[in-house]
Amino acid sequence: MNTLMQTVENSQLRSDLPEFRVGSTIRVNYRIVEGEKERIQAFEGVVIRKHRGNQNNKASFTVRKTSQGHGVERIFPLHSPRIESIKILKVGLVRRAKLYYLRNRRGKAARIAEKITHRPKS
Amino acid sequence: MLNGMLGRKIGMTQIFEEDGTAVPVTVVQVGPVTVIQKKTEEQDGYNSIQVGFEDRNPRKINKPLTGHFKDQKPMTVLREFSADDITQVEVGQVFNTSIFEEGDKIAVTGTSKGKGFAGTMKRHNFGGQPASHGHRGHRRTGSIGQCATPARVFKGKKMPGQYGNATVTVLGLKVAKILPDQNVILVKGAIPGRNGGIVTLKKSSR
């Protein structure tokens, strides 16, 4: 790619957000502007898709949660200034890059095994 | 003052505004341009400023052009911009992105991508004929007029022909951002031509 293009695109990237992977359960704190007021709305769910990787200014990710029995999916631009913060709650153990199969499952079947990371004995 | 600039289209991407809105932008490498010639009312019948863009190998230009550039460095692209007042401008003066400001309305002219000899569906958005049920026309033009009256085809009838590779101006574009260090202007929206093509950016009231 053209170097000028790269400087423009790289200037849009954010490095302050934690890296997370597909299958993880995360909480996205998203700034919402309502008229004059601005507030932060949290969206908590499983990352089922990451689009265009990490180091791309057009990258996005999809978070899925079940709200009152209905599946809700929300797509966030990864480098959007509107994302206040991202918190990783659980790291999931998955073998797919896109977890679209979760859409056809509900209840217990829609769970994802948690990745147990080795913790040194204290 | 100069009311326009020459540039090269780099390509499209998106940027975020401060409030988080994603804006589609075209990255244009703009200038710097050097004033090569001043055309005056007395000598040429009209006032304008001729500028050159991008250096060129001096060995590769012919003698008439060498004389035209005189003391200036030879340039690849030469273009004129009309100007009411040319007293402030000197030959050899260099202009860069600073003639534009963020939020300025501009018009961008370029050579559109050539589509070759195109049919009426592509070139004029005709509907074409049904794909099946015994129809044999598909993408053909259809009727081009009536019978004995008027007994001819009207001038300007939309027909197949060369499409694209024409000079196209897009009005009402906006300067989204300026990067003065890189000589780069980000224009909101799309501009004509291929990536790497030469474009003219002009200040515009529309």
Side-chain angles (χ1 to χ4, degrees), chain B residues 106-110 168-173 190-192 200 202 204 206:
Chain B
I106 54 168
V108 179
T109 308
V168 175
T169 304
V170 178
L171 302 170
L173 294 169
I191 66 173
T200 310
K202 258 178 134 177
S204 150
R206 286 197 280 179

Side-chain angles (χ1 to χ4, degrees), chain B residues 89-109:
Chain B
V89 180
E90 295 300 327
V91 171
Q93 199 175 338
V94 176
F95 288 97
N96 54 27
T97 50
S98 61
I99 71 161
F100 294 111
E101 271 175 41
E102 281 176 21
D104 273 1
K105 276 188 173 177
I106 54 168
V108 179
T109 308

Side-chain angles (χ1 to χ4, degrees), chain A residues 18-81:
Chain A
E19 270 194 32
F20 54 89
R21 305 186 65 159
V22 169
S24 300
T25 308
I26 62 169
R27 183 188 295 134
V28 183
N29 292 315
Y30 201 66
R31 281 200 197 93
I32 304 247
V33 181
E34 286 170 334
E36 296 282 289
K37 269 189 279 179
E38 192 185 88
R39 63 186 182 86
I40 288 165
Q41 190 185 60
F43 193 89
E44 199 177 304
V46 181
V47 181
I48 63 162
R49 178 190 80 142
K50 287 184 82 172
H51 183 52
R52 296 188 201 231
N54 285 322
Q55 298 304 310
N56 187 317
N57 65 330
K58 296 161 206 151
S60 65
F61 61 96
T62 306
V63 183
R64 180 182 171 85
K65 74 170 175 185
T66 313
S67 171
Q68 294 170 351
H70 287 280
V72 178
E73 284 178 18
R74 201 158 163 191
I75 303 166
F76 296 97
L78 182 58
H79 297 285
S80 168

Side-chain angles (χ1 to χ4, degrees), chain B residues 111-116 123 161-168:
Chain B
T111 308
S112 62
K113 280 184 185 173
K115 316 273 184 207
R123 194 174 182 223
Q162 165 68 31
Y163 182 43
N165 193 19
T167 305
V168 175

